[in-house]
Structures are given as structure tokens and as C-alpha cells.
Amino acid sequence: ALACAAWFYSKSDIEGEEREFALGALIAAANVLAVIALSAEALGYYDRAQALASGEAITRLENTKQFALSAVWTIFGAIALIIGIRRSSIAVRVGGLMLLALATGKALAIDLRYYNAEWHTLLFNPTFASFALLIFALAVGIWFYGPSEDAKDRERSVVPLLIGVANLLAIVSLSTEVMGYFWRARAVVDRQFVEEILRLNNNEQFALSVLWIVYGAVALSIAIVKPRKSLRLGALILLSLATMKVVALDSHFYDASWHTLI
């Protein structure tokens, strides 16, 4: 009904403030109701499933429920952002960006809690899927912002911000995947085998360092070629953090009994 009313307003002869206000209000109300309805459907489906489950299955369903909710917000926000860019509607663009921001905050605050869940497999799990979908949505938004002259003039700071958030989400999600993998590996080792646990700790720190160094080096190379100052700064910060981590943590294993020269 709201969509029909907005369509009739757009085709009518009504001009001035009434038409602009009515169109904006109707479109905004319709989108808010759509997000609420789809979110409620996702929550209701998994709440019903959890009511029939028991034990670990409840937590597993909760993890999947949070992914479903993140997917609704991310996909809806990305579509709204694309439409806002193509139609040169700043209100729709802002709404899409706000929804993507909410999805990002939710992923960091809630979805990330399940990073070391026992039922996860490396990269193929609901938590990483939430982050991957967000990163893809931000990348699509950045790509659509590129040819938009209207968006360039009014929102020059949005593209670097989206690039920064996407890269931050990538680093966080990949790092927690590494940490979760080694947490699960340690969980199945008997605590009596101290050396094996220490070996896993050593490998975990190595994997994290490699991830940060390679990611930082690639990002720095791209930022130099493009060039993008904000991305160069972010890459240098990541490489600095990796350097401090190697000195402060990785170096503790310098005399490990399982090491061979070089």
C-alpha cells in the first residue's frame, strides 16, 4: 500500500514540499517495515526451532539465527545503497549505509562470539559467512559509488570509509578464523601433552603473523599503485602491529624443543 501511494505521488501533478515530503516519508516507512518484517520472520523461524531443540543444538541454531539476521540487514542495506546511488537519492543512500552500519556493529558484537564454536569448520561457518557477506556488500557499494558523480560531490568521505571498514572486517574475520581453528585443535589435545599445546600456540602465532604481514604488504602495494593515502596508512599500521607482535609474542618460542635451525 505504501509503495502504491509513493508511485501515485511520483506520477501526480502535485509539486513542491508536499510531494517531496510524502515521497520520502512513504519510501522510508515502507523500507523500515520491510526490514522489521523480514527480521521478525528470521527470528521467529529460529526461535520455533530452538524451542524444539536441546543441548548444543540450541547454541548452534542461535549462531545460524544471527547469520540469517545479519544476511537480511546486509542484503537489504546493499540493495538500498545501490538503488540510492543509481537514482541519485541521498535519503535512500543514507538509509542503506545506516543499515550496513548496524549489520557491521552486530557482526562484531554478536556474531563474532561464536568464532571458536566446536561445530565450525575453517572458513565454512555462519560467523565467517556473516563477515564475508558484509565485505562483499561493501565492495559492491564502493564499485557503484565509482561512476556516480552525484555521490562523489556530496559524499567524498564515504568511499575511503567503506574501504577502511571492509578491510578491517576482513582482518578481524580472518584473524578470528585462525584463532578459532587453533582453539578447537587445542581442545582435543589432552592437557598432559603440554609440548603439543605449546606447539599449537607457536603455530597459531605464526599463522596470525603471516596473515597480518601478507595482508598489510598487499594492501600497501595496492595503495601505492592506486594511490590511496588512507589505505597506505592502514597497511602501515597493520605491518607495525605485526612487527610488534613478532617481537613481543612469536619470539617467546625461540628456544622451543621442536624447532630446527632456520
Side-chain angles (χ1 to χ4, degrees):
L2 293 173
C4 288
W7 185 83
F8 276 109
Y9 257 108
S10 67
K11 299 299 181 181
S12 70
D13 295 329
I14 300 172
E15 299 292 342
E17 294 182 1
E18 179 190 347
R19 184 172 183 273
E20 292 181 6
F21 175 78
L23 275 173
L26 289 169
I27 292 171
N31 279 281
V32 169
L33 289 175
V35 171
I36 291 173
L38 291 170
S39 300
E41 281 298 296
L43 292 171
Y45 174 83
Y46 284 101
D47 284 346
R48 291 189 295 273
Q50 285 176 301
L52 301 174
S54 61
E56 186 185 276
I58 296 176
T59 309
R60 189 192 295 256
L61 284 167
E62 182 66 26
N63 188 192
T64 309
K65 178 172 74 174
Q66 295 304 327
F67 163 69
L69 195 57
S70 295
V72 168
W73 294 5
T74 302
I75 294 171
F76 202 100
I79 293 172
L81 180 59
I82 292 168
I83 293 172
I85 293 171
R86 297 295 296 271
R87 295 294 182 87
S88 297
S89 173
I90 189 170
V92 177
R93 289 200 301 270
V94 170
L97 289 170
M98 288 177 62
L99 193 53
L100 288 173
L102 285 173
T104 300
K106 176 188 170 298
L108 292 170
I110 299 176
D111 300 51
L112 202 60
R113 295 176 185 175
Y114 300 94
Y115 79 95
N116 61 350
E118 295 177 2
W119 56 87
H120 280 192
T121 54
L122 188 64
L123 299 180
F124 294 96
N125 58 75
T127 300
F128 187 75
S130 296
F131 282 89
L133 190 59
L134 260 174
I135 294 165
F136 178 75
L138 293 173
V140 170
I142 293 164
W143 188 81
F144 272 92
Y145 259 114
S148 173
E149 293 300 325
D150 177 68
K152 279 185 179 179
D153 293 338
R154 297 187 182 186
E155 302 153 37
R156 293 177 183 175
S157 62
V158 170
V159 172
L161 178 62
L162 292 178
I163 292 172
V165 172
N167 279 280
L168 178 62
L169 290 175
I171 287 294
V172 169
S173 59
L174 290 170
S175 298
T176 51
E177 279 297 292
V178 170
M179 294 166 64
Y181 173 82
F182 283 100
W183 188 93
R184 291 188 293 274
R186 285 191 295 267
V188 298
V189 176
D190 194 314
R191 292 189 177 276
Q192 293 181 349
F193 298 101
V194 177
E195 183 175 298
E196 181 60 26
I197 294 174
L198 289 173
R199 187 197 295 265
L200 287 169
N201 290 341
N202 188 188
N203 291 340
E204 178 183 14
Q205 296 305 324
F206 167 70
L208 280 173
S209 295
V210 169
L211 171 64
W212 294 6
I213 292 165
V214 172
Y215 199 103
V218 172
L220 183 59
S221 301
I222 293 171
I224 291 172
V225 172
K226 285 300 182 180
R228 285 193 178 275
K229 185 177 180 180
S230 58
L231 187 58
R232 288 201 303 273
L233 180 61
L236 288 170
I237 290 173
L238 184 59
L239 288 172
S240 299
L241 288 173
T243 301
M244 290 186 288
K245 177 185 170 300
V246 168
V247 173
L249 297 177
D250 300 51
S251 62
H252 285 179
F253 299 95
Y254 77 97
D255 60 347
S257 59
W258 57 88
H259 279 190
T260 55
L261 186 62
I262 302 178

